[in-house]
Amino acid sequence: MNPAEVYILNQPEPFRSILMHIQVIIEHTIPNAALKYKWRIPCYYLGETPVCYLNASHKKQFVDVGFWHSAYLSKFDEHLVSENRKVVKSLRYHTLEDIDNDIFIAILKEAEKQKGKSFYNK
């Protein structure tokens, strides 16, 4: 089993359910995305281009879905949290019910378009 999948399955609830739901949405929306285990968290890549990472923050009680290409996602700024980060912005979910599938899918589709682009330059 992929270490990223082990990470997801070993999370306590509600993190496991949130992560599994997110995983299904990502893999359905971007079927070519590869789930890798980097920096001790699950990360999705399209080829060599990172799309997003998944992090269960037990201390802060949310699942963070971080997008490296956030400069290209500006039309979704009202939904994304930057929290003093220069490159990454994220969606944060405290419960499974917090996930708005339509918004998440729209952001994923926009992030998918950035394949091969540098996330340091807009």
Side-chain angles (χ1 to χ4, degrees), residues 55-119:
N55 182 38
S57 177
H58 296 224
K59 184 177 178 180
K60 295 183 180 179
Q61 294 294 299
F62 60 74
V63 171
D64 196 47
V65 182
F67 294 91
W68 283 280
H69 290 87
S70 62
Y72 296 99
L73 304 174
S74 60
K75 66 182 176 184
F76 300 102
D77 276 348
E78 68 183 86
H79 305 286
L80 296 166
V81 178
S82 63
E83 199 169 83
N84 300 319
R85 296 177 288 191
K86 293 181 181 180
V87 176
V88 176
K89 289 185 182 176
S90 62
L91 294 167
R92 293 193 173 160
Y93 302 117
H94 295 88
T95 67
L96 194 53
E97 294 76 25
D98 288 345
I99 301 171
D100 183 323
N101 292 336
D102 293 333
I103 290 170
F104 187 40
I105 290 168
I107 291 172
L108 286 170
K109 286 180 178 180
E110 192 64 32
E112 181 182 21
K113 292 178 187 176
Q114 307 314 315
K115 183 179 187 285
K117 293 183 181 178
S118 171
F119 47 84

Side-chain angles (χ1 to χ4, degrees), residues 1-14:
M1 187 178 295
N2 179 328
E5 293 170 337
V6 171
Y7 172 96
I8 291 168
L9 292 173
N10 285 337
Q11 295 300 313
E13 289 297 343

Side-chain angles (χ1 to χ4, degrees), residues 4 7-8 35-38 40-44 52-54:
Y7 172 96
I8 291 168
L35 179 59
K36 299 181 180 186
Y37 191 67
K38 304 257 185 174
R40 297 174 39 194
I41 56 174
C43 299
Y44 278 94
C52 64
Y53 67 79
L54 313 178

